[in-house]
PDB file of all heavy atoms in Angstrom:
ATOM      1  N   THR A   1       0.826  -1.225  -0.040  1.00 35.00           N
ATOM      2  CA  THR A   1       0.033  -0.055  -0.056  1.00 35.00           C
ATOM      3  C   THR A   1       0.889   1.174  -0.049  1.00 35.00           C
ATOM      4  O   THR A   1       0.497   2.346   0.419  1.00 35.00           O
ATOM      5  CB  THR A   1      -0.937  -0.016   1.115  1.00 35.00           C
ATOM      6  OG1 THR A   1      -0.231  -0.175   2.448  1.00 35.00           O
ATOM      7  CG2 THR A   1      -2.026  -1.054   1.046  1.00 35.00           C
ATOM      8  N   GLY A   2       2.070   1.214  -0.501  1.00 34.00           N
ATOM      9  CA  GLY A   2       2.857   2.289  -0.684  1.00 34.00           C
ATOM     10  C   GLY A   2       3.759   2.555   0.617  1.00 34.00           C
ATOM     11  O   GLY A   2       3.921   1.728   1.476  1.00 34.00           O
ATOM     12  N   GLN A   3       4.406   3.717   0.659  1.00 32.00           N
ATOM     13  CA  GLN A   3       5.232   4.060   1.649  1.00 32.00           C
ATOM     14  C   GLN A   3       4.456   4.885   2.680  1.00 32.00           C
ATOM     15  O   GLN A   3       3.196   4.823   2.753  1.00 32.00           O
ATOM     16  CB  GLN A   3       6.435   4.857   1.101  1.00 32.00           C
ATOM     17  CG  GLN A   3       7.243   4.024   0.120  1.00 32.00           C
ATOM     18  CD  GLN A   3       8.292   4.869  -0.523  1.00 32.00           C
ATOM     19  OE1 GLN A   3       8.906   5.888   0.053  1.00 32.00           O
ATOM     20  NE2 GLN A   3       8.721   4.482  -1.695  1.00 32.00           N
ATOM     21  N   ARG A   4       5.046   5.685   3.542  1.00 28.00           N
ATOM     22  CA  ARG A   4       4.341   6.381   4.532  1.00 28.00           C
ATOM     23  C   ARG A   4       3.921   7.719   3.982  1.00 28.00           C
ATOM     24  O   ARG A   4       4.305   8.240   2.906  1.00 28.00           O
ATOM     25  CB  ARG A   4       5.166   6.657   5.711  1.00 28.00           C
ATOM     26  CG  ARG A   4       6.509   7.354   5.428  1.00 28.00           C
ATOM     27  CD  ARG A   4       7.362   7.639   6.594  1.00 28.00           C
ATOM     28  NE  ARG A   4       6.690   8.529   7.597  1.00 28.00           N
ATOM     29  CZ  ARG A   4       7.304   9.237   8.430  1.00 28.00           C
ATOM     30  NH1 ARG A   4       8.576   9.115   8.619  1.00 28.00           N
ATOM     31  NH2 ARG A   4       6.609  10.127   9.270  1.00 28.00           N
ATOM     32  N   GLY A   5       3.028   8.440   4.717  1.00 31.00           N
ATOM     33  CA  GLY A   5       2.621   9.792   4.412  1.00 31.00           C
ATOM     34  C   GLY A   5       2.006   9.928   3.000  1.00 31.00           C
ATOM     35  O   GLY A   5       1.169   9.205   2.566  1.00 31.00           O
ATOM     36  N   ARG A   6       2.613  10.976   2.264  1.00 33.00           N
ATOM     37  CA  ARG A   6       1.957  11.316   0.983  1.00 33.00           C
ATOM     38  C   ARG A   6       2.215  10.294  -0.019  1.00 33.00           C
ATOM     39  O   ARG A   6       1.621  10.351  -1.161  1.00 33.00           O
ATOM     40  CB  ARG A   6       2.558  12.675   0.567  1.00 33.00           C
ATOM     41  CG  ARG A   6       4.059  12.629   0.288  1.00 33.00           C
ATOM     42  CD  ARG A   6       4.457  14.029  -0.219  1.00 33.00           C
ATOM     43  NE  ARG A   6       3.979  14.341  -1.436  1.00 33.00           N
ATOM     44  CZ  ARG A   6       3.463  15.539  -1.794  1.00 33.00           C
ATOM     45  NH1 ARG A   6       3.495  16.497  -0.982  1.00 33.00           N
ATOM     46  NH2 ARG A   6       2.980  15.845  -2.998  1.00 33.00           N
ATOM     47  N   ASN A   7       3.074   9.266   0.090  1.00 37.00           N
ATOM     48  CA  ASN A   7       3.299   8.322  -0.882  1.00 37.00           C
ATOM     49  C   ASN A   7       2.434   7.093  -0.835  1.00 37.00           C
ATOM     50  O   ASN A   7       2.792   5.986  -1.397  1.00 37.00           O
ATOM     51  CB  ASN A   7       4.839   7.911  -0.896  1.00 37.00           C
ATOM     52  CG  ASN A   7       5.729   9.112  -1.296  1.00 37.00           C
ATOM     53  OD1 ASN A   7       5.347   9.786  -2.077  1.00 37.00           O
ATOM     54  ND2 ASN A   7       6.843   9.186  -0.585  1.00 37.00           N
ATOM     55  N   VAL A   8       1.411   7.018  -0.084  1.00 40.00           N
ATOM     56  CA  VAL A   8       0.618   5.785   0.110  1.00 40.00           C
ATOM     57  C   VAL A   8      -0.104   5.473  -1.237  1.00 40.00           C
ATOM     58  O   VAL A   8      -0.553   6.242  -2.004  1.00 40.00           O
ATOM     59  CB  VAL A   8      -0.448   5.989   1.230  1.00 40.00           C
ATOM     60  CG1 VAL A   8      -1.442   6.978   0.808  1.00 40.00           C
ATOM     61  CG2 VAL A   8      -1.197   4.752   1.516  1.00 40.00           C
ATOM     62  N   GLY A   9      -0.132   4.054  -1.430  1.00 42.00           N
ATOM     63  CA  GLY A   9      -1.059   3.531  -2.386  1.00 42.00           C
ATOM     64  C   GLY A   9      -0.599   3.543  -3.839  1.00 42.00           C
ATOM     65  O   GLY A   9      -0.366   2.406  -4.293  1.00 42.00           O
ATOM     66  N   TYR A  10      -0.500   4.525  -4.532  1.00 44.00           N
ATOM     67  CA  TYR A  10      -0.190   4.692  -5.899  1.00 44.00           C
ATOM     68  C   TYR A  10      -1.190   4.081  -6.912  1.00 44.00           C
ATOM     69  O   TYR A  10      -1.877   4.772  -7.554  1.00 44.00           O
ATOM     70  CB  TYR A  10       1.140   4.046  -6.218  1.00 44.00           C
ATOM     71  CG  TYR A  10       2.245   4.784  -5.519  1.00 44.00           C
ATOM     72  CD1 TYR A  10       3.375   4.103  -5.014  1.00 44.00           C
ATOM     73  CD2 TYR A  10       2.327   6.112  -5.467  1.00 44.00           C
ATOM     74  CE1 TYR A  10       4.427   4.650  -4.309  1.00 44.00           C
ATOM     75  CE2 TYR A  10       3.432   6.775  -4.949  1.00 44.00           C
ATOM     76  CZ  TYR A  10       4.409   6.111  -4.309  1.00 44.00           C
ATOM     77  OH  TYR A  10       5.430   6.717  -3.737  1.00 44.00           O
ATOM     78  N   ALA A  11      -1.388   2.808  -6.974  1.00 54.00           N
ATOM     79  CA  ALA A  11      -2.257   2.219  -8.027  1.00 54.00           C
ATOM     80  C   ALA A  11      -2.931   0.980  -7.379  1.00 54.00           C
ATOM     81  O   ALA A  11      -2.503   0.264  -6.540  1.00 54.00           O
ATOM     82  CB  ALA A  11      -1.275   1.729  -9.059  1.00 54.00           C
ATOM     83  N   VAL A  12      -4.090   0.719  -8.031  1.00 67.00           N
ATOM     84  CA  VAL A  12      -4.868  -0.399  -7.620  1.00 67.00           C
ATOM     85  C   VAL A  12      -5.058  -1.318  -8.904  1.00 67.00           C
ATOM     86  O   VAL A  12      -5.582  -0.780  -9.936  1.00 67.00           O
ATOM     87  CB  VAL A  12      -6.226  -0.010  -7.062  1.00 67.00           C
ATOM     88  CG1 VAL A  12      -7.083  -1.295  -6.911  1.00 67.00           C
ATOM     89  CG2 VAL A  12      -6.130   0.580  -5.581  1.00 67.00           C
ATOM     90  N   VAL A  13      -4.609  -2.477  -8.813  1.00 82.00           N
ATOM     91  CA  VAL A  13      -4.879  -3.506  -9.897  1.00 82.00           C
ATOM     92  C   VAL A  13      -5.947  -4.478  -9.335  1.00 82.00           C
ATOM     93  O   VAL A  13      -6.004  -4.926  -8.210  1.00 82.00           O
ATOM     94  CB  VAL A  13      -3.714  -4.332 -10.245  1.00 82.00           C
ATOM     95  CG1 VAL A  13      -3.996  -5.365 -11.262  1.00 82.00           C
ATOM     96  CG2 VAL A  13      -2.637  -3.280 -10.835  1.00 82.00           C
ATOM     97  N   THR A  14      -6.981  -4.768 -10.166  1.00 86.00           N
ATOM     98  CA  THR A  14      -8.056  -5.757  -9.817  1.00 86.00           C
ATOM     99  C   THR A  14      -7.849  -7.117 -10.394  1.00 86.00           C
ATOM    100  O   THR A  14      -7.635  -7.234 -11.671  1.00 86.00           O
ATOM    101  CB  THR A  14      -9.339  -5.106 -10.136  1.00 86.00           C
ATOM    102  OG1 THR A  14      -9.634  -3.822  -9.624  1.00 86.00           O
ATOM    103  CG2 THR A  14     -10.549  -6.033  -9.703  1.00 86.00           C
ATOM    104  N   PHE A  15      -7.911  -8.059  -9.494  1.00 92.00           N
ATOM    105  CA  PHE A  15      -7.836  -9.455 -10.054  1.00 92.00           C
ATOM    106  C   PHE A  15      -9.086 -10.166  -9.741  1.00 92.00           C
ATOM    107  O   PHE A  15      -9.807  -9.943  -8.769  1.00 92.00           O
ATOM    108  CB  PHE A  15      -6.638 -10.177  -9.203  1.00 92.00           C
ATOM    109  CG  PHE A  15      -5.273  -9.623  -9.421  1.00 92.00           C
ATOM    110  CD1 PHE A  15      -4.988  -8.418  -8.587  1.00 92.00           C
ATOM    111  CD2 PHE A  15      -4.381  -9.990 -10.358  1.00 92.00           C
ATOM    112  CE1 PHE A  15      -3.654  -7.902  -8.726  1.00 92.00           C
ATOM    113  CE2 PHE A  15      -3.102  -9.450 -10.521  1.00 92.00           C
ATOM    114  CZ  PHE A  15      -2.789  -8.469  -9.741  1.00 92.00           C
ATOM    115  N   TYR A  16      -9.375 -11.076 -10.689  1.00 94.00           N
ATOM    116  CA  TYR A  16     -10.718 -11.698 -10.658  1.00 94.00           C
ATOM    117  C   TYR A  16     -10.397 -13.259 -10.631  1.00 94.00           C
ATOM    118  O   TYR A  16      -9.582 -13.747 -11.211  1.00 94.00           O
ATOM    119  CB  TYR A  16     -11.507 -11.493 -11.981  1.00 94.00           C
ATOM    120  CG  TYR A  16     -11.620  -9.982 -12.243  1.00 94.00           C
ATOM    121  CD1 TYR A  16     -10.722  -9.377 -13.123  1.00 94.00           C
ATOM    122  CD2 TYR A  16     -12.638  -9.259 -11.702  1.00 94.00           C
ATOM    123  CE1 TYR A  16     -10.756  -7.994 -13.390  1.00 94.00           C
ATOM    124  CE2 TYR A  16     -12.691  -7.898 -11.924  1.00 94.00           C
ATOM    125  CZ  TYR A  16     -11.843  -7.225 -12.761  1.00 94.00           C
ATOM    126  OH  TYR A  16     -11.965  -5.924 -13.073  1.00 94.00           O
ATOM    127  N   GLU A  17     -11.404 -13.982  -9.848  1.00 95.00           N
ATOM    128  CA  GLU A  17     -11.345 -15.426  -9.794  1.00 95.00           C
ATOM    129  C   GLU A  17     -12.002 -16.019 -10.929  1.00 95.00           C
ATOM    130  O   GLU A  17     -11.767 -17.240 -11.160  1.00 95.00           O
ATOM    131  CB  GLU A  17     -11.930 -15.959  -8.489  1.00 95.00           C
ATOM    132  CG  GLU A  17     -13.441 -15.749  -8.358  1.00 95.00           C
ATOM    133  CD  GLU A  17     -14.078 -16.671  -7.294  1.00 95.00           C
ATOM    134  OE1 GLU A  17     -13.351 -17.462  -6.716  1.00 95.00           O
ATOM    135  OE2 GLU A  17     -15.236 -16.491  -7.078  1.00 95.00           O
ATOM    136  N   ASP A  18     -12.787 -15.353 -11.738  1.00 95.00           N
ATOM    137  CA  ASP A  18     -13.394 -15.913 -12.969  1.00 95.00           C
ATOM    138  C   ASP A  18     -12.880 -15.332 -14.142  1.00 95.00           C
ATOM    139  O   ASP A  18     -12.493 -14.122 -14.181  1.00 95.00           O
ATOM    140  CB  ASP A  18     -14.960 -15.613 -12.845  1.00 95.00           C
ATOM    141  CG  ASP A  18     -15.671 -16.391 -11.758  1.00 95.00           C
ATOM    142  OD1 ASP A  18     -15.148 -17.234 -11.101  1.00 95.00           O
ATOM    143  OD2 ASP A  18     -16.978 -16.128 -11.672  1.00 95.00           O
ATOM    144  N   ASP A  19     -12.955 -16.034 -15.279  1.00 95.00           N
ATOM    145  CA  ASP A  19     -12.742 -15.470 -16.512  1.00 95.00           C
ATOM    146  C   ASP A  19     -13.864 -14.429 -16.749  1.00 95.00           C
ATOM    147  O   ASP A  19     -14.980 -14.607 -16.372  1.00 95.00           O
ATOM    148  CB  ASP A  19     -12.920 -16.538 -17.655  1.00 95.00           C
ATOM    149  CG  ASP A  19     -11.806 -17.560 -17.715  1.00 95.00           C
ATOM    150  OD1 ASP A  19     -10.634 -17.078 -17.275  1.00 95.00           O
ATOM    151  OD2 ASP A  19     -11.908 -18.611 -18.026  1.00 95.00           O
ATOM    152  N   ASN A  20     -13.411 -13.225 -17.324  1.00 94.00           N
ATOM    153  CA  ASN A  20     -14.393 -12.248 -17.550  1.00 94.00           C
ATOM    154  C   ASN A  20     -15.045 -11.751 -16.256  1.00 94.00           C
ATOM    155  O   ASN A  20     -16.223 -11.231 -16.327  1.00 94.00           O
ATOM    156  CB  ASN A  20     -15.581 -12.590 -18.608  1.00 94.00           C
ATOM    157  CG  ASN A  20     -14.960 -13.055 -19.926  1.00 94.00           C
ATOM    158  OD1 ASN A  20     -14.002 -12.458 -20.402  1.00 94.00           O
ATOM    159  ND2 ASN A  20     -15.597 -14.102 -20.494  1.00 94.00           N
ATOM    160  N   GLY A  21     -14.387 -11.874 -15.151  1.00 92.00           N
ATOM    161  CA  GLY A  21     -14.872 -11.394 -13.832  1.00 92.00           C
ATOM    162  C   GLY A  21     -15.225  -9.931 -13.776  1.00 92.00           C
ATOM    163  O   GLY A  21     -15.999  -9.514 -12.984  1.00 92.00           O
ATOM    164  N   TRP A  22     -14.678  -9.063 -14.657  1.00 89.00           N
ATOM    165  CA  TRP A  22     -14.952  -7.668 -14.679  1.00 89.00           C
ATOM    166  C   TRP A  22     -16.514  -7.489 -15.059  1.00 89.00           C
ATOM    167  O   TRP A  22     -16.999  -6.225 -14.857  1.00 89.00           O
ATOM    168  CB  TRP A  22     -14.112  -6.922 -15.704  1.00 89.00           C
ATOM    169  CG  TRP A  22     -14.095  -7.531 -17.115  1.00 89.00           C
ATOM    170  CD1 TRP A  22     -15.035  -7.229 -18.084  1.00 89.00           C
ATOM    171  CD2 TRP A  22     -13.181  -8.457 -17.648  1.00 89.00           C
ATOM    172  NE1 TRP A  22     -14.725  -7.877 -19.113  1.00 89.00           N
ATOM    173  CE2 TRP A  22     -13.628  -8.661 -18.933  1.00 89.00           C
ATOM    174  CE3 TRP A  22     -12.014  -9.108 -17.070  1.00 89.00           C
ATOM    175  CZ2 TRP A  22     -12.991  -9.513 -19.793  1.00 89.00           C
ATOM    176  CZ3 TRP A  22     -11.293  -9.981 -18.066  1.00 89.00           C
ATOM    177  CH2 TRP A  22     -11.838 -10.161 -19.345  1.00 89.00           C
ATOM    178  N   GLU A  23     -17.140  -8.526 -15.480  1.00 88.00           N
ATOM    179  CA  GLU A  23     -18.589  -8.360 -15.825  1.00 88.00           C
ATOM    180  C   GLU A  23     -19.388  -8.464 -14.504  1.00 88.00           C
ATOM    181  O   GLU A  23     -20.677  -8.242 -14.635  1.00 88.00           O
ATOM    182  CB  GLU A  23     -19.006  -9.425 -16.794  1.00 88.00           C
ATOM    183  CG  GLU A  23     -18.337  -9.338 -18.155  1.00 88.00           C
ATOM    184  CD  GLU A  23     -18.629 -10.528 -19.059  1.00 88.00           C
ATOM    185  OE1 GLU A  23     -19.329 -11.410 -18.515  1.00 88.00           O
ATOM    186  OE2 GLU A  23     -18.400 -10.435 -20.234  1.00 88.00           O
ATOM    187  N   GLY A  24     -18.771  -8.683 -13.327  1.00 84.00           N
ATOM    188  CA  GLY A  24     -19.479  -8.623 -12.119  1.00 84.00           C
ATOM    189  C   GLY A  24     -19.760  -9.945 -11.372  1.00 84.00           C
ATOM    190  O   GLY A  24     -20.441  -9.945 -10.325  1.00 84.00           O
ATOM    191  N   HIS A  25     -19.091 -11.042 -11.930  1.00 89.00           N
ATOM    192  CA  HIS A  25     -19.462 -12.335 -11.238  1.00 89.00           C
ATOM    193  C   HIS A  25     -18.146 -12.849 -10.693  1.00 89.00           C
ATOM    194  O   HIS A  25     -17.007 -12.469 -11.135  1.00 89.00           O
ATOM    195  CB  HIS A  25     -19.960 -13.394 -12.151  1.00 89.00           C
ATOM    196  CG  HIS A  25     -19.284 -13.543 -13.474  1.00 89.00           C
ATOM    197  ND1 HIS A  25     -18.082 -14.111 -13.697  1.00 89.00           N
ATOM    198  CD2 HIS A  25     -19.572 -12.896 -14.769  1.00 89.00           C
ATOM    199  CE1 HIS A  25     -17.691 -13.966 -15.003  1.00 89.00           C
ATOM    200  NE2 HIS A  25     -18.572 -13.297 -15.600  1.00 89.00           N
ATOM    201  N   GLY A  26     -18.123 -13.545  -9.570  1.00 89.00           N
ATOM    202  CA  GLY A  26     -17.045 -13.966  -8.929  1.00 89.00           C
ATOM    203  C   GLY A  26     -16.372 -13.042  -7.975  1.00 89.00           C
ATOM    204  O   GLY A  26     -16.695 -11.920  -7.937  1.00 89.00           O
ATOM    205  N   ASP A  27     -15.376 -13.459  -7.171  1.00 89.00           N
ATOM    206  CA  ASP A  27     -14.771 -12.599  -6.126  1.00 89.00           C
ATOM    207  C   ASP A  27     -13.744 -11.801  -6.922  1.00 89.00           C
ATOM    208  O   ASP A  27     -13.139 -12.125  -7.937  1.00 89.00           O
ATOM    209  CB  ASP A  27     -14.085 -13.489  -5.113  1.00 89.00           C
ATOM    210  CG  ASP A  27     -15.046 -13.997  -4.138  1.00 89.00           C
ATOM    211  OD1 ASP A  27     -16.307 -13.552  -4.097  1.00 89.00           O
ATOM    212  OD2 ASP A  27     -14.794 -15.075  -3.519  1.00 89.00           O
ATOM    213  N   THR A  28     -13.417 -10.684  -6.221  1.00 88.00           N
ATOM    214  CA  THR A  28     -12.223  -9.803  -6.739  1.00 88.00           C
ATOM    215  C   THR A  28     -11.229  -9.513  -5.594  1.00 88.00           C
ATOM    216  O   THR A  28     -11.523  -9.588  -4.455  1.00 88.00           O
ATOM    217  CB  THR A  28     -12.871  -8.469  -7.207  1.00 88.00           C
ATOM    218  OG1 THR A  28     -13.477  -7.767  -6.168  1.00 88.00           O
ATOM    219  CG2 THR A  28     -13.895  -8.686  -8.407  1.00 88.00           C
ATOM    220  N   MET A  29     -10.013  -9.224  -6.020  1.00 85.00           N
ATOM    221  CA  MET A  29      -8.962  -8.791  -5.234  1.00 85.00           C
ATOM    222  C   MET A  29      -8.272  -7.617  -5.704  1.00 85.00           C
ATOM    223  O   MET A  29      -8.130  -7.493  -6.921  1.00 85.00           O
ATOM    224  CB  MET A  29      -7.958 -10.087  -5.032  1.00 85.00           C
ATOM    225  CG  MET A  29      -6.641  -9.627  -4.321  1.00 85.00           C
ATOM    226  SD  MET A  29      -5.511 -10.946  -4.201  1.00 85.00           S
ATOM    227  CE  MET A  29      -5.091 -11.169  -5.860  1.00 85.00           C
ATOM    228  N   ASN A  30      -8.025  -6.664  -4.903  1.00 80.00           N
ATOM    229  CA  ASN A  30      -7.310  -5.358  -5.294  1.00 80.00           C
ATOM    230  C   ASN A  30      -5.915  -5.363  -4.583  1.00 80.00           C
ATOM    231  O   ASN A  30      -5.835  -5.459  -3.359  1.00 80.00           O
ATOM    232  CB  ASN A  30      -8.134  -4.170  -4.955  1.00 80.00           C
ATOM    233  CG  ASN A  30      -9.437  -4.170  -5.788  1.00 80.00           C
ATOM    234  OD1 ASN A  30      -9.335  -3.800  -6.920  1.00 80.00           O
ATOM    235  ND2 ASN A  30     -10.499  -4.596  -5.203  1.00 80.00           N
ATOM    236  N   LEU A  31      -4.900  -5.058  -5.425  1.00 80.00           N
ATOM    237  CA  LEU A  31      -3.477  -4.964  -4.819  1.00 80.00           C
ATOM    238  C   LEU A  31      -2.908  -3.623  -5.432  1.00 80.00           C
ATOM    239  O   LEU A  31      -3.180  -3.260  -6.508  1.00 80.00           O
ATOM    240  CB  LEU A  31      -2.689  -6.105  -5.267  1.00 80.00           C
ATOM    241  CG  LEU A  31      -3.073  -7.477  -4.911  1.00 80.00           C
ATOM    242  CD1 LEU A  31      -2.164  -8.554  -5.440  1.00 80.00           C
ATOM    243  CD2 LEU A  31      -3.051  -7.655  -3.314  1.00 80.00           C
ATOM    244  N   GLY A  32      -2.144  -3.091  -4.539  1.00 71.00           N
ATOM    245  CA  GLY A  32      -1.311  -1.844  -4.927  1.00 71.00           C
ATOM    246  C   GLY A  32       0.100  -2.291  -5.338  1.00 71.00           C
ATOM    247  O   GLY A  32       0.379  -3.530  -5.447  1.00 71.00           O
ATOM    248  N   LEU A  33       0.958  -1.313  -5.476  1.00 67.00           N
ATOM    249  CA  LEU A  33       2.312  -1.706  -5.907  1.00 67.00           C
ATOM    250  C   LEU A  33       2.976  -2.596  -4.885  1.00 67.00           C
ATOM    251  O   LEU A  33       2.834  -2.381  -3.663  1.00 67.00           O
ATOM    252  CB  LEU A  33       3.137  -0.379  -6.003  1.00 67.00           C
ATOM    253  CG  LEU A  33       2.740   0.556  -7.078  1.00 67.00           C
ATOM    254  CD1 LEU A  33       3.629   1.882  -7.110  1.00 67.00           C
ATOM    255  CD2 LEU A  33       2.669  -0.036  -8.484  1.00 67.00           C
ATOM    256  N   GLY A  34       3.733  -3.585  -5.339  1.00 74.00           N
ATOM    257  CA  GLY A  34       4.441  -4.393  -4.522  1.00 74.00           C
ATOM    258  C   GLY A  34       4.614  -5.842  -5.064  1.00 74.00           C
ATOM    259  O   GLY A  34       4.120  -6.133  -6.144  1.00 74.00           O
ATOM    260  N   LYS A  35       5.309  -6.667  -4.249  1.00 83.00           N
ATOM    261  CA  LYS A  35       5.432  -8.133  -4.639  1.00 83.00           C
ATOM    262  C   LYS A  35       4.686  -8.937  -3.691  1.00 83.00           C
ATOM    263  O   LYS A  35       4.821  -8.718  -2.382  1.00 83.00           O
ATOM    264  CB  LYS A  35       6.900  -8.529  -4.656  1.00 83.00           C
ATOM    265  CG  LYS A  35       7.669  -7.907  -5.871  1.00 83.00           C
ATOM    266  CD  LYS A  35       9.132  -8.503  -5.996  1.00 83.00           C
ATOM    267  CE  LYS A  35       9.738  -8.118  -7.302  1.00 83.00           C
ATOM    268  NZ  LYS A  35      11.097  -8.785  -7.417  1.00 83.00           N
ATOM    269  N   TYR A  36       3.888  -9.888  -4.140  1.00 87.00           N
ATOM    270  CA  TYR A  36       3.127 -10.821  -3.243  1.00 87.00           C
ATOM    271  C   TYR A  36       3.408 -12.241  -3.554  1.00 87.00           C
ATOM    272  O   TYR A  36       3.434 -12.680  -4.778  1.00 87.00           O
ATOM    273  CB  TYR A  36       1.577 -10.482  -3.390  1.00 87.00           C
ATOM    274  CG  TYR A  36       1.267  -8.942  -3.400  1.00 87.00           C
ATOM    275  CD1 TYR A  36       1.480  -8.221  -4.566  1.00 87.00           C
ATOM    276  CD2 TYR A  36       0.725  -8.492  -2.299  1.00 87.00           C
ATOM    277  CE1 TYR A  36       1.227  -6.834  -4.467  1.00 87.00           C
ATOM    278  CE2 TYR A  36       0.560  -7.073  -2.204  1.00 87.00           C
ATOM    279  CZ  TYR A  36       0.702  -6.339  -3.281  1.00 87.00           C
ATOM    280  OH  TYR A  36       0.426  -4.983  -3.266  1.00 87.00           O
TER     281      TYR A  36
END
């Protein structure tokens, strides 16, 4: 979720458990910059 203070967050990428999950079905996960 970024560094401290004003550098928090930066970007959100959305991941889906389903193919075409952006259509609204299945669970979603959001991650910011980093390695997981």
Side-chain angles (χ1 to χ4, degrees):
T1 50
Q3 302 173 25
R4 58 179 292 201
R6 64 177 294 139
N7 293 322
V8 67
Y10 295 139
V12 170
V13 174
T14 302
F15 298 84
Y16 308 95
E17 70 163 350
D18 288 356
D19 290 332
N20 303 321
W22 55 84
E23 295 175 349
H25 48 81
D27 289 339
T28 62
M29 169 181 67
N30 294 281
L31 297 177
L33 297 180
K35 288 188 172 184
Y36 311 83

